[in-house]
């Protein structure tokens, strides 16, 4: 049961809550270590997308008799920490919640913020959110004054164009403009300096993929772009997906047909959701002609959106670790009852990374939805995914297809993902 507790707390499900509430887990040093490790390190699949687990584990500890020992260890970690990774941000939030509950001196939060600010000061830095959430307008005044006193020519651009309090209007109870006016009325020179810097226009706006490109321009960019320049390919792929016209797609497809090997390797990377307009048999031949694992992987990805049943047989023939998820997508797209055992085996062998990659295809498979078996797939995906954002998508489908039971409903009430908890309340 301990291994289940550890696995589920890393996934962020409600299972650890239920295990503690129902007495299935006894307090021990081993459980202490699991809880401590999940506070000092954010073990979410994608912390940037999923956010902090501090509230989740803080509330979980309310069911744990030895929470005081863990709190003491976290406070000691907080006082000594110097990094700014996702784990440290999570610890800062956890300790802020201790301070809000009167279990820790909140002045230590300000000291730790100043330590980090002396090292590297910027909008969105560690500690800002927690000071605002614990002291609201008092913290707004403190931070505006602090920044006004310490911003230098070297870091001033970090504060231009947006106030540090703009993302927290809802939590603070005031609109950004109102807070700016309130700060102006403080008649404080340092605060006024901060406001003048925050109101400046940004010199450089973040670049976005141009909406109006020609095939020739795309080819020209690709010719100059090294295959390792992932960011450039992401921009062009975004353009292909969102802005390219049908004529653009046809032109790029024609360019692929006429291109040499080097350009083929680059062009094929642009096609994911928008199908390349090249006959599948020609792509099959290209797979055999170009012995390059990255190209073959990208080509298989480009095959998936095409509507040709022969693609299923081709991808099955080429199945290996590199092309595995492409074949699973094809299996989902061309599902029939005779593929049930095969699909179950494939999904059973999926890693959490594989599940993350094939999830949308599974959830959106109109063919699969026609079968009662779809509910079993949803349950399997729910059990295997580690990402709470993916879990939210799965739960939404489970609710739509009435594949929920009381046990799962009880579980999602304690999920780390607040959107899932809200879905549970609306059920």
């Amino acid at each position: 049961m301990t291994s289940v507790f550890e696995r589920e707390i890393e996934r962020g499900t409600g299972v650890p809550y239920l295990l503690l509430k129902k007495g299935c887990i006894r307090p021990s040093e081993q459980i202490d270590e699991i809880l401590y490790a999940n506070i000092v390190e954010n073990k979410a699949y994608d912390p940037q997308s999923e956010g902090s687990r501090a509230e989740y584990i803080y509330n979980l500890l309310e069911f744990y008799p030895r929470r005081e020992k863990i709190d003491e260890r976290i406070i000691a970690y907080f006082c000594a920490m110097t990094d700014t990774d996702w784990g440290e941000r999570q610890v800062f939030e956890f300790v802020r919640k201790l301070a809000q509950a009167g279990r820790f001196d909140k002045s230590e939060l300000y000291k730790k913020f100043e330590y980090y600010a002396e090292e590297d000061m910027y909008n969105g830095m560690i500690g800002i959110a927690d000071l605002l959430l614990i002291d609201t307008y008092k913290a707004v005044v403190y931070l505006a004054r602090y920044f006004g006193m310490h911003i230098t020519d070297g870091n001033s651009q970090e504060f231009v164009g947006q106030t540090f309090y703009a993302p927290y209007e809802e939590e603070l109870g005031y609109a950004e403009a109102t807070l700016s006016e309130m700060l102006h009325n403080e008649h404080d020179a340092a605060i006024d300096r901060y406001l003048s810097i925050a109101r400046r226009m940004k010199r450089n706006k973040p670049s976005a993929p141009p909406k109006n490109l020609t095939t020739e321009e795309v080819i020209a960019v690709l010719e100059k772009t090294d295959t390792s320049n992932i960011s450039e390919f992401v921009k062009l792929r975004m353009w292909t997906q969102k802005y390219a016209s049908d004529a653009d797609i046809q032109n790029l497809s024609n360019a692929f047909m006429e291109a040499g090997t080097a350009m083929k390797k680059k062009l094929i990377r642009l096609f994911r959701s928008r199908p390349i307009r090249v006959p599948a048999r020609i792509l099959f031949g290209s797979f055999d002609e170009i012995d390059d694992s990255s190209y073959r992987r990208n080509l298989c990805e480009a095959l998936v959106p095409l509507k040709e049943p022969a693609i299923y047989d081709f991808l099955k023939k080429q199945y290996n670790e590199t092309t595995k998820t492409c074949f699973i997508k094809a299996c989902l797209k061309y599902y029939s009852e005779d593929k049930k055992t095969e699909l179950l085996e494939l999904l059973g062998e999926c890693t959490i990374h594989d599940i993350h990659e094939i999830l949308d295809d599974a959830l959106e498979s109109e063919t699969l939805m026609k079968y009662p078996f779809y509910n079993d797939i949803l349950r399997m995906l729910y059990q295997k995914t580690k990402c709470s954002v993916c879990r939210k998508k799965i739960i939404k489908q489970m609710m739509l297809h009435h594949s929920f039971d009381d046990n799962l409903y009880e579980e999602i009430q304690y999920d780390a993902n607040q959107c899932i908890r809200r879905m549970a309340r609306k059920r």
Side-chain angles (χ1 to χ4, degrees), residues 144 147-148 151 159 162-164 190-198:
F147 289 141
I151 289 174
F159 296 89
Q162 185 186 40
T163 62
F164 64 83
I191 291 176
D192 289 343
R193 179 172 182 261
Y194 167 74
L195 290 172
S196 70
I197 293 170

Side-chain angles (χ1 to χ4, degrees), residues 21-203:
K21 281 181 69 177
K22 296 178 180 182
C24 301
I25 291 291
R26 302 284 183 180
S28 67
E29 289 187 3
Q30 187 178 7
I31 298 299
D32 289 357
E33 287 302 319
I34 292 170
L35 290 164
Y36 175 79
N38 278 272
I39 300 170
V40 300
E41 179 184 352
N42 187 329
K43 298 196 177 189
Y45 179 82
D46 182 358
Q48 186 170 6
S49 298
E50 298 180 65
S52 169
R53 295 279 179 83
E55 181 180 15
Y56 168 73
I57 302 177
Y58 182 90
N59 292 335
L60 177 62
L61 283 170
E62 298 293 8
F63 297 106
Y64 192 62
R66 294 162 60 120
R67 82 156 296 155
E68 287 188 10
K69 291 184 177 181
I70 297 172
D71 289 345
E72 289 172 2
R73 290 181 67 188
I74 296 301
I75 288 170
Y77 184 95
F78 172 81
C79 293
M81 72 184 191
T82 57
D83 290 337
T84 58
D85 206 345
W86 297 112
E88 281 70 31
R89 287 177 177 267
Q90 185 166 272
V91 168
F92 210 121
E93 181 183 345
F94 186 92
V95 172
R96 185 254 300 167
K97 294 186 75 65
L98 288 176
Q100 287 175 311
R103 296 168 175 168
F104 185 61
D105 183 358
K106 72 178 181 181
S107 68
E108 295 297 322
L109 300 180
Y110 285 85
K111 292 178 184 177
K112 181 59 74 173
F113 164 80
E114 291 185 6
Y115 164 80
Y116 280 119
E118 289 172 7
E119 296 293 314
D120 187 15
M121 196 168 69
Y122 56 94
N123 246 346
M125 64 172 285
I126 188 171
I128 289 178
D130 295 295
L131 295 186
L132 293 175
L133 291 172
I134 198 168
D135 271 341
T136 60
Y137 183 66
K138 177 183 174 183
V140 172
V141 172
Y142 162 81
L143 289 167
R145 182 179 291 123
Y146 185 92
F147 289 141
M149 292 172 64
H150 295 91
I151 289 174
T152 65
D153 290 340
N155 63 18
S156 63
Q157 279 299 307
E158 295 287 341
F159 296 89
V160 170
Q162 185 186 40
T163 62
F164 64 83
Y165 44 84
Y168 305 99
E169 290 180 326
E170 184 177 347
E171 292 84 354
L172 294 171
Y174 296 100
E176 180 187 15
T178 303
L179 285 166
S180 295
E181 184 64 26
M182 292 165 69
L183 286 173
H184 178 69
N185 292 334
E186 294 287 335
H187 303 294
D188 182 289
I191 291 176
D192 289 343
R193 179 172 182 261
Y194 167 74
L195 290 172
S196 70
I197 293 170
R199 287 169 179 160
R200 292 178 196 164
M201 295 294 291
K202 281 189 178 292
R203 293 176 187 169

